[in-house]
Amino acid sequence: MSNTSQDKLPDDIVHHIEHLERVRRDFIANVSHELRTPLTVIRGYLEALIEQNDSNPTWDKIFKQMHQHSLRMEHIIKDLLFLSHLETTEQEIVYQKKLPIADMLTAVCEDAQQLSQGQHHISLSKDTKLSLDGIAEELRSLFYNLIGNAVKYTPKGGKIEVIWKLENEEACFKVIDNGIGIEKKDIPRITERFYRVDKARSRDSGGTGLGLAIVKHVLLRHQGELIIHSELGKGSEFCCMFPKEMVYVSK
Ligand code: ADP
């Protein structure tokens, strides 16, 4: 008998796969959690060493580099824990009603301005009447990851457009940049954990390689869809569509 994709797997195999998936998720969550405390202690001591050492420039440089790396590791662990939380399917998702997305975007764009240090032109076009049911913390992370990426992967002087609008009864959040762009072959893979087109560039800009994986999971939890258009050397457009059932338009 041929095995088509419609064939159902036997229940015991499905349970086994679910079990392995749970073990994988728990392992990542536990490792991340266990690493957090020792790392916080190490960072604390490094901060004390930096403060105390005012005579030896060589050690000062070393301590500062170690401190930078400990901050990076903390950032990775924070993102891994957040991803584990997003992947947890046991708890029922509770949406907050009518979130003021336009206000949230104003705040996120201010944070992005800080990241850019005034080196990009960031514009926000928002429909203030348009709100969404969802989870505020998760949506804020999605917005910051996409706008932050536009800053990180657009050279100084570049343009970043953030758009929040209604499109065919659905809500559309879009970030357009005229930055370095992404090669066609990489686009299907960039939402995978730790997949970076250019590892060194991502690291230098403080990236964890988990931002777009977080975006993908947040969208899954909001029944949303991510559409990516990009051209190498020209720029990128990341568009998130949220279904009309989650959308409100005030009068
Ligand atoms: P990172 O922390 O490395 O930015 P992400 O998951 O957010 O991780 O993104 C994965 C990779 O996708 C990045 O390393 C980069 O190569 C590419 N990328 C994401 N956003 C953009 C963008 N706006 N322009 C160009 N490349 C991008």
Side-chain angles (χ1 to χ4, degrees), residues 212-232:
L212 290 181
I214 289 176
V215 166
K216 187 175 80 175
H217 275 86
V218 170
L219 282 171
L220 269 175
R221 284 162 65 87
H222 288 78
Q223 292 104 52
E225 192 192 353
L226 177 65
I227 304 152
I228 307 170
H229 295 291
S230 189
E231 210 176 315
L232 198 62

Side-chain angles (χ1 to χ4, degrees), residues 149 152-153 177 182 190 195-197 202 207-209 211-212 236:
N149 274 352
K152 287 186 321 194
Y153 301 108
D177 67 57
I182 307 160
I190 54 171
Y195 188 87
R196 288 111 147 188
V197 176
S202 160
T208 62
L212 290 181
S236 310

Side-chain angles (χ1 to χ4, degrees), residues 81-107:
L81 281 169
F82 192 51
L83 254 180
S84 300
H85 159 75
L86 295 176
E87 278 190 318
T88 309
T89 46
E90 282 85 22
Q91 285 162 1
E92 199 199 330
I93 300 176
V94 181
Y95 295 119
Q96 295 153 275
K97 292 273 169 206
K98 297 188 186 174
L99 291 169
I101 304 293
D103 294 345
M104 285 165 70
L105 284 175
T106 304

Side-chain angles (χ1 to χ4, degrees), residues 158-169:
K159 238 176 71 181
I160 294 158
E161 272 180 83
V162 180
I163 298 164
W164 173 241
K165 63 170 181 177
L166 195 66
E167 202 173 279
N168 302 325
E169 294 185 272

Side-chain angles (χ1 to χ4, degrees), residues 79 145-146 149-154 175 177 179-182 189-199 201-203 205-215 230 235-238:
D79 275 2
N145 274 308
L146 289 180
N149 274 352
V151 171
K152 287 186 321 194
Y153 301 108
T154 299
V175 183
D177 67 57
I180 61 171
I182 307 160
R189 300 204 57 192
I190 54 171
T191 55
E192 290 172 18
R193 277 152 215 242
F194 297 116
Y195 188 87
R196 288 111 147 188
V197 176
D198 179 343
K199 271 202 164 58
R201 184 174 215 134
S202 160
R203 270 200 207 106
S205 61
T208 62
L210 295 167
L212 290 181
I214 289 176
V215 166
S230 189
S236 310
E237 180 181 309
F238 286 77

